[in-house]
Amino acid sequence: MQRMDATTCLKSLLLAISQYRNNRSATNASQLKTQIDDLSGVKCGRLLVSGQVLPSECLSGLVELVGDPNTCPALTGTIISLLAQLAAADDESREALHSRYNLTGTLASVIHCNSATPREPVVLQCLQVLQKLTYSMRIPHCTPYMDELIAFLIQHVQSPNEDITMPCLGVLANLCRSNLFVQTHVKSLSHVKAFYRTLINFLAHSSLTVVVFALSILASLTLNEGVGEKLFHAKNIHQTFQLIFNIIVNGDGTLTCKYAVDLLVDLLKNPKIADYLTRYEHFSLCLSQVLGLLQGKDPDSAAMVLELLVALCSVPGLRRQLCQTVLRAQGPRLQALAKKEGRGQWVEPDPGLALLQWASLPLDGPEACYLQALSLFAELFEEVTVSVPSGSAQAFLDLLLPVLLGLLHGPSIPLSELQLKKHCVRAARVMDLLLVLSSDDAMKMQVSQQLSSQLCVLQVELLLSSSHMDMGFSCPATSSDLSQVGAEVILKVLQLMSRLKQLVRDMETSFYRILQDQRMVTPLSLALASDHREHVQTALRILLEAAPLPDFPAVILGECIAANNAYRHREMELSMQSPPNLGRSLAPLTAHPPTSSQSIHNLIEKLQSSMELQEQVKDVRVSEIMDVYEQKICALASKEGRLQDLLEAKALALSQADRLIAQYRCQRAQAEAEARKLASLLKEAERRKEELQGELSTQMLEAERAKADIQQLLQHNTRLQTESQEHQSLKGSYNELLHRYNECERMLKELQAAHISLNKQTDTLRKQNESLKVHQDRLLTQLAEQEEQIKGLDSGLQERRAEILDLQQELKRQDEHSRERETERKDMEDTMDMLRKELSKTELAKKDASIKASSLELQKSQLEAKLQKKEEELSKHTQMIAMIHSLSSGKLKNETVNLSL
């Protein structure tokens, strides 16, 4: 009845949308608003995003009206409220709204149209829906109006109105998280430094939600840059840890706690910060407080805490400490408690028992809780197999194994497709945990004692008998997510059976019987063609054990793999032939499923080809192949009716194609503008790609060198361990040297001041030296002139000596000619003696004059005085010589003597 009511509401809604689109009157708007309110009262959120024709048309029409600027604002707000309910429902609804209906781009365009009036209620509504829609979802940068949305968010982060600031920060935190394109775009902005300063100022905000948003954006943008190195430095990272743990334990709301957990998970991806957390002194207390949150009954809080604990297990040191805290030896207390309370009703505040309680939730419970709990158990027991002795976890394992085996039991009632998918996902996590337990010998024995072969066979039979595993060749299972998950569970069950086949009764027989089942070709072919390395390796290990078996359907497996490959090739060709500009809404109309006649024709051709190969492959029984093909033909016949229904739905969709084509023509201009923009971005991306390829080649060479360096670093690490001990002893000497360094730095400053003053004195002395050089040059010129004068005096003295010699000769001649005048001669001799004395005195004066000339620079004034005295003496001597000449002129004969100077 509820489904009928929902269908009736959807039909009425579609009619109201069509009427309002044709005539945008107030009456039609009111009628459409009433239909939306009625639909909000009917819980049909999953039906709206189921992908069926009628709900898809309704949602497409609503999203189109939201993006139309001519729509009534009140009606736009009502539609956005309905879309907000869908976005908050679950992850699948958010993914459908984003990818199938492009709600993110539509809301961004609404914000862009109302960017001039940011205080309008529709803007706040769009931001709130975007915050829900973009959480934990990677939004591509090519989404319409993405650049404008980022500019709007950054501009209004500094708005004084906190009603718009907080959702702007929330949306920006979602967009920047794990999105390299958005991070690069924000970093390339010219005012990014001012934006960083604004975010850093938000760290002192009174609202913890604003603080967490700002920290999340800073971590996404600056964690590996200089700003992040300063912000998340070892000196203040402990305060960040304390803030995050306080918010998680004593947070003021689930939203704030959720973003705090996401922030810590992102920070743990940085090895340096993860190492800081291992050395955080209060981590044990914080871990105990976080584990205490598992005692509550709130599934959202529990899922948040479990996600954080799984992230902590990515750090080896933290996983070891978490393992010791959760799986510590409980002894008889756990066993007595289990007997007293029973499974699923524990009251003891123990983290291990709380985890066990969340892992044992029913299938219709919160999926994130029991899946995260099982993943956490797998991480913890993997740590047990590596470092912690397995004996400390055996007491807890006695409680865990019955819960795990109980989760593998299929329900008695038939499951829907959604329930079966949930069961497969949970069974895959359980099998992962059992495979981890079976890797340790002691725990492997415990598992083998409680696990039965019948349980494994029932699990495999449940999945093999499902219609999603019976696909055949014409409609491969690659198109179904459920078939992929089911194949994964089957292979993991077989891997566990292979490990325990020697320890569990009838396990080996059941294992080989399942391997020879023809239905195993579907999961094996899916795993061998999978993109996951682990699935391929698991399938190959199972195939190695199954290949020697006599009844293993190897040929059918090859046919199935070939069919899957052909199907993928055909899908690729169809995708290449489809029009490139066709929107998402037209995509379902272009891919038609193959008709039953074509599939049967293909089967007949394959059968004929297999008959032709019968002579070559003689060990293949054609009757078995014929049975397989008969089963496939029957399955195709049953699917023909479903294909007819699908064709009718397609006919209804074709009737609406005209309207979609009209919408396409209206949006073509916008698409062409975006295409031009994308073309420019593509050119830039290609250029960047070429640069990155060059960088990649260099980095690959550096990576090879790094491998060699790692070996050297390992050897160097041992030396560093010894040097670390010396480091402790050097700390004291370092402090002393630091004190001496400070003293030396103070003395250096003093010497620098003295050096500056000495430089000034040097400049003054240089100037004085230059003036002295000029004065010295003048003195040297004067000295040269005086030396020339002395040389002239020397030449005059030589002439006088020559004259004296002449006088002496003349006297001798006079002595020979006038011996008579003895008395006069004696007088003359006396006179000559006096002249000789005078000559000796003159020579001594000459020597003194030469000595004084050598020291002329210091005794210039004395030399001038002595020269004057010598001139006077010379004048006296001249007078005396003249007197002698006058005395001897009358007595000599006609001989004359020239004694004038």
Side-chain angles (χ1 to χ4, degrees), residues 105 107-113 115 141-156 175 185 189 670 674 677:
L107 295 177
S109 66
V110 174
I111 294 176
H112 175 65
C113 293
S115 59
H141 191 256
C142 59
T143 303
Y145 296 102
M146 180 55 64
D147 293 345
E148 291 80 359
L149 176 61
I150 294 174
F152 177 85
L153 296 175
I154 294 177
Q155 178 184 357
H156 291 86
L175 294 178
H185 176 72
L189 298 177
Q670 179 182 357
E674 294 177 356
K677 182 178 180 180

Side-chain angles (χ1 to χ4, degrees), residues 36 40 75-86 125 129:
I36 294 173
S40 301
L75 181 59
T76 302
T78 304
I79 298 174
I80 292 176
S81 299
L82 176 62
L83 296 176
Q85 294 178 7
L86 297 178
Q125 275 187 309
V129 177

Side-chain angles (χ1 to χ4, degrees), residues 543-776:
L543 187 60
L544 288 176
E545 295 194 40
L549 299 177
D551 294 333
F552 177 69
V555 177
I556 301 176
L557 177 61
E559 291 287 338
C560 190
I561 294 175
N564 286 336
N565 293 335
Y567 183 80
R568 292 191 180 202
H569 182 68
R570 185 167 175 271
E571 281 187 339
M572 187 180 299
E573 289 180 350
L574 288 175
S575 63
M576 293 176 64
Q577 293 174 2
S578 61
N581 294 329
L582 198 58
R584 282 194 184 94
S585 59
L586 295 178
L589 305 178
T590 59
H592 296 283
T595 62
S596 59
S597 60
Q598 292 176 348
S599 302
I600 295 172
H601 181 68
N602 293 334
L603 286 176
I604 293 172
E605 290 181 354
K606 292 177 182 178
L607 182 60
Q608 290 176 355
S609 62
S610 63
M611 292 292 291
E612 292 175 358
L613 293 174
Q614 184 178 4
E615 295 179 359
Q616 299 178 2
V617 187
K618 295 182 179 181
D619 58 341
V620 178
R621 290 176 289 184
V622 181
S623 61
E624 295 181 358
I625 300 175
M626 293 290 292
D627 294 336
V628 172
Y629 284 123
E630 287 177 359
Q631 294 176 3
K632 302 304 177 182
I633 292 172
C634 292
L636 289 172
S638 64
K639 291 175 183 177
E640 186 175 2
R642 285 183 288 177
L643 288 174
Q644 293 294 335
D645 297 336
L646 181 60
L647 287 175
E648 292 177 359
K650 292 296 181 181
L652 178 62
L654 286 173
S655 65
Q656 300 170 358
D658 294 334
R659 179 178 59 82
L660 295 176
I661 291 173
Q663 294 176 3
Y664 162 70
R665 290 174 180 173
C666 295
Q667 295 174 357
R668 183 172 182 177
Q670 179 182 357
E672 289 178 353
E674 294 177 356
R676 288 192 294 270
K677 182 178 180 180
L678 290 175
S680 62
L681 292 175
L682 179 61
K683 292 180 181 179
E684 182 66 21
E686 289 178 352
R687 183 186 63 79
R688 182 61 180 164
K689 176 186 174 184
E690 294 176 356
E691 297 176 357
L692 291 176
Q693 284 179 349
E695 295 178 1
L696 179 62
S697 59
T698 57
Q699 289 177 358
M700 290 178 66
L701 295 175
E702 293 177 357
E704 294 178 356
R705 298 172 184 169
K707 290 181 181 179
D709 294 340
I710 288 172
Q711 299 297 331
Q712 297 178 358
L713 289 174
L714 291 175
Q715 299 176 359
H716 185 60
N717 188 21
T718 56
R719 295 195 298 268
L720 289 178
Q721 290 178 355
T722 58
E723 291 176 358
S724 64
Q725 298 176 357
E726 299 178 358
H727 174 70
Q728 298 296 331
S729 61
L730 290 174
K731 282 185 177 178
S733 58
Y734 169 75
N735 294 328
E736 182 180 356
L737 291 174
L738 183 62
H739 178 69
R740 292 174 57 188
Y741 169 75
N742 294 330
E743 292 293 331
C744 292
E745 188 175 7
R746 183 180 57 79
M747 295 174 62
L748 176 62
K749 292 180 180 179
E750 296 176 356
L751 292 174
Q752 286 177 349
H755 176 68
I756 293 171
S757 61
L758 289 174
N759 285 334
K760 295 180 179 179
Q761 295 178 4
T762 303
D763 294 335
T764 56
L765 289 175
R766 187 181 294 109
K767 294 177 181 178
Q768 293 178 359
N769 188 20
E770 291 176 355
S771 62
L772 289 175
K773 283 183 178 180
V774 174
H775 185 63
Q776 183 181 4

